[in-house]
Amino acid sequence: MSKWQKAADTAAELYQTGCINYAGYRAIRDGLDEFWTLAERDAALEKLWAELEDIPMNPETECLEAPFLDFPAGTFREDIWRWFDERHSKGVAYLMYGGAAEPFPDNTALWKTLEEHWGHNVRIVKYGDLDAPADICLECDDCGLVILDAELYTLQARNDKEV
């Protein structure tokens, strides 16, 4: 059962049991009927994603230094990414790569990304408990970018080279 249907059923039950009057029931149902289209919701989320870029983030902890939406200062970056991933129809990867459905249409994304950081200072970083990390990333210190995030990405064999 969808969240919309559950909300509609709850409103009907409240009305049928006398907990709300008909005007209250209609207000809830009318509100439910004004849900955003998927495109409208995605557009709003993309605007919020752009606003997130202006929120200061501690580079060592990857935690917010100021509040953002309902996330207080100190919230771990990946918790916010998960929030976007759960809500945007194409996921956080779509947002991270500037709206491209796939950052690269073929499966050479890792190759191309690593090549961009040739000669840079890169390191592997663990986040959370060092014995049982929440995430492990390959990061470029020169660019301040996460090149590869083991929590969000999976690897696949390249199909443009014979093995």
Side-chain angles (χ1 to χ4, degrees):
M1 174 183 301
S2 72
K3 290 179 183 179
W4 184 95
Q5 189 62 56
K6 186 174 182 180
D9 290 349
T10 301
E13 182 181 332
L14 290 170
Y15 173 64
Q16 291 165 358
T17 59
C19 293
I20 60 171
N21 62 21
Y22 183 73
Y25 167 74
R26 279 299 346 144
I28 293 169
R29 285 305 308 262
D30 290 347
L32 288 171
D33 291 339
E34 290 182 11
F35 266 64
W36 289 350
T37 65
L38 191 58
E40 291 169 332
R41 186 182 70 192
D42 281 353
L45 288 166
E46 289 163 17
K47 184 178 180 210
L48 288 173
W49 181 261
E51 291 173 15
L52 178 60
E53 292 179 6
D54 296 331
I55 305 300
M57 183 102 40
N58 182 317
E60 291 186 25
T61 64
E62 296 295 326
C63 292
L64 293 177
E65 293 182 337
F68 174 73
L69 300 175
D70 290 335
F71 299 102
T75 302
F76 185 50
R77 170 197 67 189
E78 303 231 351
D79 292 335
I80 299 164
W81 287 2
R82 273 188 215 90
W83 184 87
F84 277 100
D85 196 47
E86 291 168 359
R87 287 162 177 77
H88 195 280
S89 68
K90 296 178 183 172
V92 74
Y94 178 89
L95 297 168
M96 292 174 77
Y97 289 101
E102 293 181 52
F104 302 98
D106 59 18
N107 64 356
T108 61
L110 181 59
W111 179 271
K112 291 176 182 178
T113 301
L114 291 175
E115 189 174 41
E116 291 173 9
H117 298 278
W118 171 255
H120 292 193
N121 293 311
V122 296
R123 60 192 170 104
I124 297 175
V125 181
K126 289 183 178 182
Y127 291 101
D129 182 350
L130 294 181
D131 293 328
D135 195 13
I136 300 175
C137 300
L138 177 64
E139 298 183 357
C140 178
D141 289 334
D142 292 348
C143 300
L145 295 175
V146 175
I147 299 168
L148 181 67
D149 185 320
E151 186 176 46
L152 297 178
Y153 308 109
T154 58
L155 302 177
Q156 65 183 18
R158 292 177 58 196
N159 62 11
D160 66 328
K161 299 284 182 190
E162 288 187 27
V163 180

